[in-house]
PDB file of all heavy atoms in Angstrom:
ATOM      1  N   PRO A   1       0.801  -1.223  -0.006  1.00  0.00           N
ATOM      2  CA  PRO A   1      -0.002   0.005   0.000  1.00  0.00           C
ATOM      3  C   PRO A   1       0.837   1.283   0.004  1.00  0.00           C
ATOM      4  O   PRO A   1       0.460   2.266  -0.616  1.00  0.00           O
ATOM      5  CB  PRO A   1      -0.837  -0.123   1.283  1.00  0.00           C
ATOM      6  CG  PRO A   1      -0.960  -1.593   1.484  1.00  0.00           C
ATOM      7  CD  PRO A   1       0.349  -2.158   1.040  1.00  0.00           C
ATOM      8  N   ASP A   2       2.008   1.252   0.647  1.00  0.00           N
ATOM      9  CA  ASP A   2       2.873   2.430   0.617  1.00  0.00           C
ATOM     10  C   ASP A   2       3.328   2.763  -0.785  1.00  0.00           C
ATOM     11  O   ASP A   2       3.405   3.930  -1.183  1.00  0.00           O
ATOM     12  CB  ASP A   2       4.121   2.220   1.498  1.00  0.00           C
ATOM     13  CG  ASP A   2       3.792   2.134   2.964  1.00  0.00           C
ATOM     14  OD1 ASP A   2       2.758   2.689   3.372  1.00  0.00           O
ATOM     15  OD2 ASP A   2       4.581   1.517   3.701  1.00  0.00           O
ATOM     16  N   GLU A   3       3.661   1.731  -1.554  1.00  0.00           N
ATOM     17  CA  GLU A   3       4.104   1.938  -2.926  1.00  0.00           C
ATOM     18  C   GLU A   3       2.966   2.469  -3.794  1.00  0.00           C
ATOM     19  O   GLU A   3       3.196   3.250  -4.721  1.00  0.00           O
ATOM     20  CB  GLU A   3       4.664   0.646  -3.505  1.00  0.00           C
ATOM     21  CG  GLU A   3       5.947   0.195  -2.856  1.00  0.00           C
ATOM     22  CD  GLU A   3       7.075   1.200  -3.028  1.00  0.00           C
ATOM     23  OE1 GLU A   3       7.137   1.895  -4.046  1.00  0.00           O
ATOM     24  OE2 GLU A   3       7.908   1.274  -2.102  1.00  0.00           O
ATOM     25  N   LEU A   4       1.743   2.047  -3.509  1.00  0.00           N
ATOM     26  CA  LEU A   4       0.605   2.551  -4.272  1.00  0.00           C
ATOM     27  C   LEU A   4       0.375   4.026  -3.975  1.00  0.00           C
ATOM     28  O   LEU A   4       0.081   4.813  -4.875  1.00  0.00           O
ATOM     29  CB  LEU A   4      -0.647   1.725  -3.963  1.00  0.00           C
ATOM     30  CG  LEU A   4      -0.564   0.265  -4.415  1.00  0.00           C
ATOM     31  CD1 LEU A   4      -1.795  -0.491  -3.949  1.00  0.00           C
ATOM     32  CD2 LEU A   4      -0.414   0.169  -5.908  1.00  0.00           C
ATOM     33  N   LEU A   5       0.525   4.427  -2.725  1.00  0.00           N
ATOM     34  CA  LEU A   5       0.444   5.846  -2.376  1.00  0.00           C
ATOM     35  C   LEU A   5       1.550   6.631  -3.064  1.00  0.00           C
ATOM     36  O   LEU A   5       1.314   7.705  -3.615  1.00  0.00           O
ATOM     37  CB  LEU A   5       0.527   6.044  -0.851  1.00  0.00           C
ATOM     38  CG  LEU A   5       0.641   7.503  -0.383  1.00  0.00           C
ATOM     39  CD1 LEU A   5      -0.592   8.309  -0.773  1.00  0.00           C
ATOM     40  CD2 LEU A   5       0.881   7.555   1.108  1.00  0.00           C
ATOM     41  N   ASN A   6       2.760   6.086  -3.052  1.00  0.00           N
ATOM     42  CA  ASN A   6       3.880   6.747  -3.705  1.00  0.00           C
ATOM     43  C   ASN A   6       3.621   6.940  -5.197  1.00  0.00           C
ATOM     44  O   ASN A   6       3.885   8.004  -5.741  1.00  0.00           O
ATOM     45  CB  ASN A   6       5.152   5.934  -3.476  1.00  0.00           C
ATOM     46  CG  ASN A   6       6.383   6.654  -3.931  1.00  0.00           C
ATOM     47  OD1 ASN A   6       6.522   7.866  -3.747  1.00  0.00           O
ATOM     48  ND2 ASN A   6       7.291   5.918  -4.537  1.00  0.00           N
ATOM     49  N   ALA A   7       3.088   5.929  -5.854  1.00  0.00           N
ATOM     50  CA  ALA A   7       2.782   6.037  -7.278  1.00  0.00           C
ATOM     51  C   ALA A   7       1.701   7.083  -7.519  1.00  0.00           C
ATOM     52  O   ALA A   7       1.773   7.855  -8.474  1.00  0.00           O
ATOM     53  CB  ALA A   7       2.336   4.678  -7.815  1.00  0.00           C
ATOM     54  N   ASP A   8       0.690   7.113  -6.641  1.00  0.00           N
ATOM     55  CA  ASP A   8      -0.375   8.111  -6.742  1.00  0.00           C
ATOM     56  C   ASP A   8       0.195   9.525  -6.577  1.00  0.00           C
ATOM     57  O   ASP A   8      -0.130  10.435  -7.335  1.00  0.00           O
ATOM     58  CB  ASP A   8      -1.426   7.830  -5.663  1.00  0.00           C
ATOM     59  CG  ASP A   8      -2.729   8.561  -5.851  1.00  0.00           C
ATOM     60  OD1 ASP A   8      -2.998   9.059  -6.969  1.00  0.00           O
ATOM     61  OD2 ASP A   8      -3.504   8.625  -4.877  1.00  0.00           O
ATOM     62  N   LEU A   9       1.075   9.692  -5.603  1.00  0.00           N
ATOM     63  CA  LEU A   9       1.721  10.977  -5.360  1.00  0.00           C
ATOM     64  C   LEU A   9       2.511  11.408  -6.587  1.00  0.00           C
ATOM     65  O   LEU A   9       2.380  12.542  -7.054  1.00  0.00           O
ATOM     66  CB  LEU A   9       2.640  10.879  -4.143  1.00  0.00           C
ATOM     67  CG  LEU A   9       3.546  12.067  -3.861  1.00  0.00           C
ATOM     68  CD1 LEU A   9       2.718  13.277  -3.464  1.00  0.00           C
ATOM     69  CD2 LEU A   9       4.544  11.725  -2.773  1.00  0.00           C
ATOM     70  N   LYS A  10       3.309  10.512  -7.138  1.00  0.00           N
ATOM     71  CA  LYS A  10       4.124  10.834  -8.310  1.00  0.00           C
ATOM     72  C   LYS A  10       3.247  11.188  -9.510  1.00  0.00           C
ATOM     73  O   LYS A  10       3.605  12.030 -10.326  1.00  0.00           O
ATOM     74  CB  LYS A  10       5.039   9.676  -8.664  1.00  0.00           C
ATOM     75  CG  LYS A  10       6.186   9.529  -7.700  1.00  0.00           C
ATOM     76  CD  LYS A  10       7.069   8.368  -8.120  1.00  0.00           C
ATOM     77  CE  LYS A  10       8.246   8.217  -7.187  1.00  0.00           C
ATOM     78  NZ  LYS A  10       9.133   7.105  -7.589  1.00  0.00           N
ATOM     79  N   HIS A  11       2.108  10.535  -9.610  1.00  0.00           N
ATOM     80  CA  HIS A  11       1.193  10.809 -10.721  1.00  0.00           C
ATOM     81  C   HIS A  11       0.574  12.201 -10.614  1.00  0.00           C
ATOM     82  O   HIS A  11       0.358  12.871 -11.613  1.00  0.00           O
ATOM     83  CB  HIS A  11       0.091   9.740 -10.760  1.00  0.00           C
ATOM     84  CG  HIS A  11      -0.917   9.963 -11.827  1.00  0.00           C
ATOM     85  ND1 HIS A  11      -0.655   9.666 -13.152  1.00  0.00           N
ATOM     86  CD2 HIS A  11      -2.173  10.452 -11.788  1.00  0.00           C
ATOM     87  CE1 HIS A  11      -1.727   9.978 -13.857  1.00  0.00           C
ATOM     88  NE2 HIS A  11      -2.665  10.448 -13.059  1.00  0.00           N
ATOM     89  N   HIS A  12       0.290  12.649  -9.393  1.00  0.00           N
ATOM     90  CA  HIS A  12      -0.413  13.906  -9.199  1.00  0.00           C
ATOM     91  C   HIS A  12       0.475  15.100  -8.893  1.00  0.00           C
ATOM     92  O   HIS A  12       0.063  16.241  -9.081  1.00  0.00           O
ATOM     93  CB  HIS A  12      -1.454  13.757  -8.086  1.00  0.00           C
ATOM     94  CG  HIS A  12      -2.629  12.933  -8.524  1.00  0.00           C
ATOM     95  ND1 HIS A  12      -2.680  11.578  -8.322  1.00  0.00           N
ATOM     96  CD2 HIS A  12      -3.755  13.278  -9.170  1.00  0.00           C
ATOM     97  CE1 HIS A  12      -3.813  11.126  -8.836  1.00  0.00           C
ATOM     98  NE2 HIS A  12      -4.486  12.126  -9.344  1.00  0.00           N
ATOM     99  N   VAL A  13       1.682  14.876  -8.393  1.00  0.00           N
ATOM    100  CA  VAL A  13       2.603  15.977  -8.083  1.00  0.00           C
ATOM    101  C   VAL A  13       3.768  15.849  -9.064  1.00  0.00           C
ATOM    102  O   VAL A  13       4.556  14.917  -8.976  1.00  0.00           O
ATOM    103  CB  VAL A  13       3.099  15.903  -6.623  1.00  0.00           C
ATOM    104  CG1 VAL A  13       4.115  17.004  -6.354  1.00  0.00           C
ATOM    105  CG2 VAL A  13       1.927  16.023  -5.656  1.00  0.00           C
ATOM    106  N   HIS A  14       3.848  16.761  -9.962  1.00  0.00           N
ATOM    107  CA  HIS A  14       4.829  16.692 -11.045  1.00  0.00           C
ATOM    108  C   HIS A  14       6.113  17.414 -10.657  1.00  0.00           C
ATOM    109  O   HIS A  14       6.181  18.641 -10.700  1.00  0.00           O
ATOM    110  CB  HIS A  14       4.238  17.260 -12.321  1.00  0.00           C
ATOM    111  CG  HIS A  14       2.955  16.589 -12.703  1.00  0.00           C
ATOM    112  ND1 HIS A  14       2.927  15.339 -13.255  1.00  0.00           N
ATOM    113  CD2 HIS A  14       1.664  16.973 -12.571  1.00  0.00           C
ATOM    114  CE1 HIS A  14       1.668  14.983 -13.462  1.00  0.00           C
ATOM    115  NE2 HIS A  14       0.880  15.955 -13.054  1.00  0.00           N
ATOM    116  N   ALA A  15       7.125  16.662 -10.294  1.00  0.00           N
ATOM    117  CA  ALA A  15       8.394  17.216  -9.824  1.00  0.00           C
ATOM    118  C   ALA A  15       9.088  18.049 -10.902  1.00  0.00           C
ATOM    119  O   ALA A  15       9.749  19.030 -10.593  1.00  0.00           O
ATOM    120  CB  ALA A  15       9.316  16.085  -9.371  1.00  0.00           C
ATOM    121  N   ALA A  16       8.923  17.679 -12.138  1.00  0.00           N
ATOM    122  CA  ALA A  16       9.614  18.389 -13.221  1.00  0.00           C
ATOM    123  C   ALA A  16       9.151  19.832 -13.331  1.00  0.00           C
ATOM    124  O   ALA A  16       9.890  20.684 -13.798  1.00  0.00           O
ATOM    125  CB  ALA A  16       9.416  17.658 -14.535  1.00  0.00           C
ATOM    126  N   ARG A  17       7.936  20.110 -12.882  1.00  0.00           N
ATOM    127  CA  ARG A  17       7.388  21.457 -13.009  1.00  0.00           C
ATOM    128  C   ARG A  17       7.474  22.271 -11.724  1.00  0.00           C
ATOM    129  O   ARG A  17       7.005  23.396 -11.689  1.00  0.00           O
ATOM    130  CB  ARG A  17       5.928  21.384 -13.448  1.00  0.00           C
ATOM    131  CG  ARG A  17       5.788  20.902 -14.882  1.00  0.00           C
ATOM    132  CD  ARG A  17       4.374  21.036 -15.324  1.00  0.00           C
ATOM    133  NE  ARG A  17       3.649  19.853 -14.879  1.00  0.00           N
ATOM    134  CZ  ARG A  17       2.332  19.777 -14.798  1.00  0.00           C
ATOM    135  NH1 ARG A  17       1.590  20.810 -15.094  1.00  0.00           N
ATOM    136  NH2 ARG A  17       1.745  18.690 -14.403  1.00  0.00           N
ATOM    137  N   ALA A  18       8.070  21.708 -10.680  1.00  0.00           N
ATOM    138  CA  ALA A  18       8.067  22.397  -9.395  1.00  0.00           C
ATOM    139  C   ALA A  18       9.491  22.593  -8.880  1.00  0.00           C
ATOM    140  O   ALA A  18      10.322  21.706  -8.998  1.00  0.00           O
ATOM    141  CB  ALA A  18       7.270  21.597  -8.378  1.00  0.00           C
ATOM    142  N   ALA A  19       9.733  23.762  -8.316  1.00  0.00           N
ATOM    143  CA  ALA A  19      11.002  24.006  -7.632  1.00  0.00           C
ATOM    144  C   ALA A  19      10.995  23.205  -6.338  1.00  0.00           C
ATOM    145  O   ALA A  19       9.960  22.693  -5.916  1.00  0.00           O
ATOM    146  CB  ALA A  19      11.163  25.491  -7.359  1.00  0.00           C
ATOM    147  N   SER A  20      12.115  23.098  -5.705  1.00  0.00           N
ATOM    148  CA  SER A  20      12.242  22.277  -4.494  1.00  0.00           C
ATOM    149  C   SER A  20      11.218  22.658  -3.420  1.00  0.00           C
ATOM    150  O   SER A  20      10.553  21.797  -2.862  1.00  0.00           O
ATOM    151  CB  SER A  20      13.650  22.411  -3.936  1.00  0.00           C
ATOM    152  OG  SER A  20      13.809  21.616  -2.811  1.00  0.00           O
ATOM    153  N   ALA A  21      11.086  23.941  -3.122  1.00  0.00           N
ATOM    154  CA  ALA A  21      10.129  24.387  -2.096  1.00  0.00           C
ATOM    155  C   ALA A  21       8.699  24.116  -2.555  1.00  0.00           C
ATOM    156  O   ALA A  21       7.856  23.710  -1.756  1.00  0.00           O
ATOM    157  CB  ALA A  21      10.322  25.857  -1.795  1.00  0.00           C
ATOM    158  N   ASP A  22       8.438  24.336  -3.842  1.00  0.00           N
ATOM    159  CA  ASP A  22       7.098  24.064  -4.378  1.00  0.00           C
ATOM    160  C   ASP A  22       6.773  22.573  -4.296  1.00  0.00           C
ATOM    161  O   ASP A  22       5.646  22.197  -4.013  1.00  0.00           O
ATOM    162  CB  ASP A  22       6.988  24.512  -5.833  1.00  0.00           C
ATOM    163  CG  ASP A  22       7.036  26.027  -5.978  1.00  0.00           C
ATOM    164  OD1 ASP A  22       6.734  26.735  -4.993  1.00  0.00           O
ATOM    165  OD2 ASP A  22       7.371  26.481  -7.084  1.00  0.00           O
ATOM    166  N   LEU A  23       7.760  21.751  -4.568  1.00  0.00           N
ATOM    167  CA  LEU A  23       7.540  20.306  -4.537  1.00  0.00           C
ATOM    168  C   LEU A  23       7.164  19.850  -3.136  1.00  0.00           C
ATOM    169  O   LEU A  23       6.224  19.068  -2.972  1.00  0.00           O
ATOM    170  CB  LEU A  23       8.801  19.578  -5.012  1.00  0.00           C
ATOM    171  CG  LEU A  23       8.728  18.062  -5.085  1.00  0.00           C
ATOM    172  CD1 LEU A  23       7.603  17.607  -6.002  1.00  0.00           C
ATOM    173  CD2 LEU A  23      10.058  17.502  -5.554  1.00  0.00           C
ATOM    174  N   ALA A  24       7.847  20.362  -2.132  1.00  0.00           N
ATOM    175  CA  ALA A  24       7.522  20.003  -0.747  1.00  0.00           C
ATOM    176  C   ALA A  24       6.115  20.472  -0.391  1.00  0.00           C
ATOM    177  O   ALA A  24       5.341  19.722   0.209  1.00  0.00           O
ATOM    178  CB  ALA A  24       8.550  20.600   0.212  1.00  0.00           C
ATOM    179  N   ARG A  25       5.764  21.685  -0.784  1.00  0.00           N
ATOM    180  CA  ARG A  25       4.427  22.228  -0.485  1.00  0.00           C
ATOM    181  C   ARG A  25       3.353  21.427  -1.212  1.00  0.00           C
ATOM    182  O   ARG A  25       2.326  21.063  -0.608  1.00  0.00           O
ATOM    183  CB  ARG A  25       4.356  23.705  -0.886  1.00  0.00           C
ATOM    184  CG  ARG A  25       3.037  24.350  -0.460  1.00  0.00           C
ATOM    185  CD  ARG A  25       2.939  25.806  -0.903  1.00  0.00           C
ATOM    186  NE  ARG A  25       2.673  25.831  -2.342  1.00  0.00           N
ATOM    187  CZ  ARG A  25       3.435  26.437  -3.251  1.00  0.00           C
ATOM    188  NH1 ARG A  25       4.509  27.084  -2.889  1.00  0.00           N
ATOM    189  NH2 ARG A  25       3.118  26.412  -4.514  1.00  0.00           N
TER     190      ARG A  25
END
């Protein structure tokens, strides 16, 4: 279940478009 949450997070929070502080927020 942790990996499924991680995949969901990666799908919805796009690291490529966010600066480090934005990514954390």
Side-chain angles (χ1 to χ4, degrees):
D2 293 335
E3 293 298 328
L4 295 175
L5 172 63
N6 188 40
D8 194 17
L9 172 66
K10 287 181 179 181
H11 178 77
H12 288 92
V13 177
H14 305 285
R17 290 188 276 162
S20 181
D22 291 338
L23 182 58
R25 186 182 75 238

